[in-house]
Structures are given as structure tokens and as C-alpha cells.
Amino acid sequence: MSEGVVTETGVRARTRRAILDAAIETLTKQPSATLADIAAAANVGRTTVHRYFAERSDLIDAISHDALDKISQSTERARLDDGPVPAVLARLCQEYFEHADIFQLLFTMPDLVTRPEWAEESDDDRRLLRLIERGHAEGSIDPAMTKEWLLQLLWSLLYTAWELVREKTPKHEALTLCLRSLEKVIAVG
């Protein structure tokens, strides 16, 4: 869990999560949404939102940390050191794909990723870059595809898949297209 986040249990944790989820969904659709808009979407009173997040900036901070936590959890679940690099990249895409809500918000509100907690390359970024380097060394990733290019491409493919889902393409179809595209891009020869 990110620094500065108090561990909560029971009703308080569920309410906080409901507010965060409602904020992510609402802000993705309308970045200028107010705390009152978010409270309505979370089915709680505005004072309840203020009890958890005194200011809009506090809520934005929490969303930013939540995104970083989801990236870390997804990276961990993808087991980056386990198996051939193309299979690992596919697992990582599948893990990230499940968090479309938070990632689409990052694209909708790019100032979120300019916050201090995003300033430095994270351990998750370094692990992913090392994975791509391993693929280059093992010959399972086209060496002409630089690690920086592939990192950006991975996010672009995921974004495209999320947009397809928003436009009513079935999730499994969008994810299949994303994974197939990634497989073709990294293929050697």
C-alpha cells in the first residue's frame, strides 16, 4: 500500500472504496466533476465524502496512489520472472486490462501522472524494462523494438482495447485483439 494511506477495515474501508470507485468513474466521464457529483455517484452524502477526503486534492491524491497500487499489484500477479517473455507480457496485459477504469482516468486527466509520486521511475517500470531486455537477450523479442518503444506501445495497445470496450466491443474480443497485436509486434523475424 502507498505511503500515507491509513489501513481501514469494515464499513469505513468499503465506503472509502465506493467513493474512490465513484470518483474514478465520474472523473473519467467528466474531469471537472465536483465532490457533490462524486458523492451522488457513490450514493453517499457530500459530508461523508468530506469526512474521507476534506478537499478535492485529497481525493485526487488518493486516486493517484490507488492507481500506483493497482499497477504494483498487477505487476506482482503477472509474475514477471516466471516463463517466456512473450507469455509474461501477455499475462501483464491481462492484469492491467482489468483496471481499465483507473487507467482511462489517467489518460483523461494526464495531470494525475505529473504528481510527485509519479516523478521517478518506479520499481514496476524497472521490472518491466528488465523483462523486455530479457526478451531481447533470449531472442524472443525483436531487437529492433527498443524497450522504451515497447513500453509505450504496450500502454497504447491497452488504451485502444479499453476504448473498444467503451464503444461496446466485448471485453474478451478487445483483449484478444490487444494480445494478438502485441504478439505480432514483438515477434522476431
Side-chain angles (χ1 to χ4, degrees):
M1 184 178 283
S2 297
E3 291 181 25
V5 176
V6 177
T7 302
E8 299 172 327
T9 58
V11 173
R12 188 159 173 77
R14 286 190 300 275
T15 302
R16 184 178 193 283
R17 181 80 254 162
I19 293 167
L20 277 175
D21 290 343
I24 291 164
E25 182 178 340
T26 303
L27 291 169
T28 298
K29 293 174 187 167
Q30 180 187 356
S32 62
T34 65
L35 288 181
D37 297 330
I38 293 165
N43 292 317
V44 298
R46 192 168 164 218
T47 56
T48 300
V49 171
H50 282 287
R51 253 184 276 142
Y52 288 83
F53 308 102
E55 303 287 331
R56 180 183 167 93
S57 62
D58 297 325
L59 178 59
I60 299 300
D61 284 344
I63 289 169
S64 178
H65 287 286
D66 188 51
L68 289 168
D69 287 344
K70 285 180 178 178
I71 290 169
S72 288
Q73 292 163 8
S74 293
T75 302
E76 197 60 40
R77 279 192 305 272
R79 303 178 326 275
L80 299 191
D81 298 322
D82 185 15
V85 173
V88 175
L89 283 171
R91 271 198 312 266
L92 185 63
C93 278
Q94 290 169 325
E95 289 292 337
Y96 285 168
F97 188 77
E98 293 305 314
H99 300 295
D101 54 351
I102 193 82
F103 290 121
Q104 283 187 301
L105 180 60
L106 295 174
F107 286 107
T108 303
M109 296 178 65
D111 58 311
L112 274 170
V113 295
T114 62
R115 304 178 79 71
E117 58 270 20
W118 292 84
E120 291 185 29
E121 184 177 73
S122 71
D123 186 47
D124 298 310
D125 291 331
R126 286 188 291 278
R127 290 180 66 200
L128 180 52
L129 292 171
R130 282 193 308 268
L131 175 68
I132 295 168
E133 288 170 347
R134 178 166 66 98
H136 285 145
E138 294 173 353
S140 61
I141 293 181
D142 182 347
M145 297 290 151
T146 67
K147 60 187 178 182
E148 296 80 11
W149 175 256
L150 284 177
L151 184 61
Q152 293 300 319
L153 184 69
L154 179 112
W155 288 114
S156 297
L157 288 171
L158 284 165
Y159 179 77
T160 302
W162 293 322
E163 283 298 305
L164 283 176
V165 171
R166 256 181 39 177
E167 295 170 8
K168 307 301 182 213
T169 298
K171 280 179 73 172
H172 70 279
E173 190 175 316
L175 179 58
T176 298
L177 289 168
C178 176
L179 295 176
R180 188 160 186 216
S181 298
L182 179 64
E183 179 183 329
K184 288 180 178 288
V185 167
I186 67 173
V188 178

